[in-house]
Amino acid sequence: MSRKEPIYQTILNALITELNSSHFKKNDPFYSESDLRQKYQVSSTTVVRVLNTLADQGFIHRIQGKGSFVSKFNRGTAVKITDTHTYDVDAEEVAILVVNDQTPVSAVSQFDPATPTWYFERLREIKGVPFEFSQSWYLKDLLSAASVQHPRQLHSLYALIRQQAHLDLARQPFEQNYAVTMVPNQRVADYLHVSATTMVVKVERWVLQAGAPLEYTLSYLLPNYFGLHLTSESQPVMASDIR
């Protein structure tokens, strides 16, 4: 262990690793000040600083007279999320239903309303059966007007943007939210061939560059076509490594 790293930081990292593992469950009692002094052979000042930092960051909550308790997990842990599919992705087809540069951007898109954008509506299908309807706004500079004149001939907007703007949106920072909700309106229900009371998975995606939006997509996905696989990576720090 490098001696350039302060012992306070080394202990903090080790405890965060424990909290992100299966060692603790939510609301479990956490180490006391005495436990940590003995575990790491450090002063009370160092231990108190570590516990206060963990509390400030939301990993634990401290109750005077009772001690510290675990509150949150997997903060600061690298998590890999991948889609899972219950269908053959090679059989998937995408139809672009609408493309224009007039549709106002969504209020939650993070685009400035004055920023020129392209608007797309797409329908994903498997063997002619629709399962996802999406609305997307892209920074207008990413695509030329000529390239979107024949939307039915477009297959991958990301591939087209790579070709024209020399930018791989798949490698840009992004944020993505998921929620279960009802179909938003009858038009979307008709596209998905379901009733207006059908539950769907709502997916929102923001693709950013230097904090500015490049893409905002809002999708409604039938739940039987939706799946996620999550894995995390955590490198434990052993108490014996702390000097």
Side-chain angles (χ1 to χ4, degrees), residues 9 19 73 85 112 154 201 243:
Q9 189 64 54
L19 286 162
F73 295 88
H85 303 283
D112 186 299
L154 297 177
V201 178
R243 297 291 185 267

Side-chain angles (χ1 to χ4, degrees), residues 74-223:
N74 295 326
R75 300 190 53 157
T77 299
V79 177
K80 181 180 179 182
I81 303 175
T82 53
D83 293 333
T84 58
H85 303 283
T86 57
Y87 57 87
D88 182 0
V89 294
D90 292 333
E92 178 182 321
E93 297 181 350
V94 180
I96 296 181
L97 310 172
V98 174
V99 55
N100 65 57
D101 59 358
Q102 303 298 318
T103 300
V105 294
S106 167
V108 299
S109 68
Q110 300 186 29
F111 281 106
D112 186 299
T115 299
T117 56
W118 286 113
Y119 171 74
F120 291 86
E121 290 185 1
R122 287 172 287 183
L123 192 66
R124 294 170 68 192
E125 300 177 331
I126 293 292
K127 297 180 179 180
V129 178
F131 68 94
E132 181 179 10
F133 171 84
S134 64
Q135 301 168 281
S136 297
W137 287 262
Y138 292 91
L139 190 67
K140 195 172 184 182
D141 290 346
L142 298 178
L143 293 164
S144 69
S147 67
V148 298
Q149 283 185 345
H150 304 288
R152 294 286 180 175
Q153 298 176 15
L154 297 177
H155 300 288
S156 170
L157 291 178
Y158 271 35
L160 187 59
I161 290 170
R162 279 198 303 270
Q163 177 185 348
Q164 294 197 352
H166 307 290
L167 179 67
D168 189 349
L169 290 189
R171 293 181 177 273
Q172 302 305 310
F174 70 92
E175 300 174 14
Q176 197 153 306
N177 290 341
Y178 299 88
V180 177
T181 183
M182 285 203 311
V183 176
N185 53 56
Q186 188 61 53
R187 181 167 173 266
V188 175
D190 290 344
Y191 273 129
L192 293 175
H193 299 176
V194 296
S195 72
T197 58
T198 299
M199 302 302 292
V200 291
V201 178
K202 175 183 174 183
V203 184
E204 289 184 282
R205 179 179 175 87
W206 296 262
V207 179
L208 310 167
Q209 186 180 62
L214 298 172
E215 172 198 356
Y216 170 69
T217 293
L218 172 62
S219 301
Y220 297 97
L221 176 67
L222 296 182

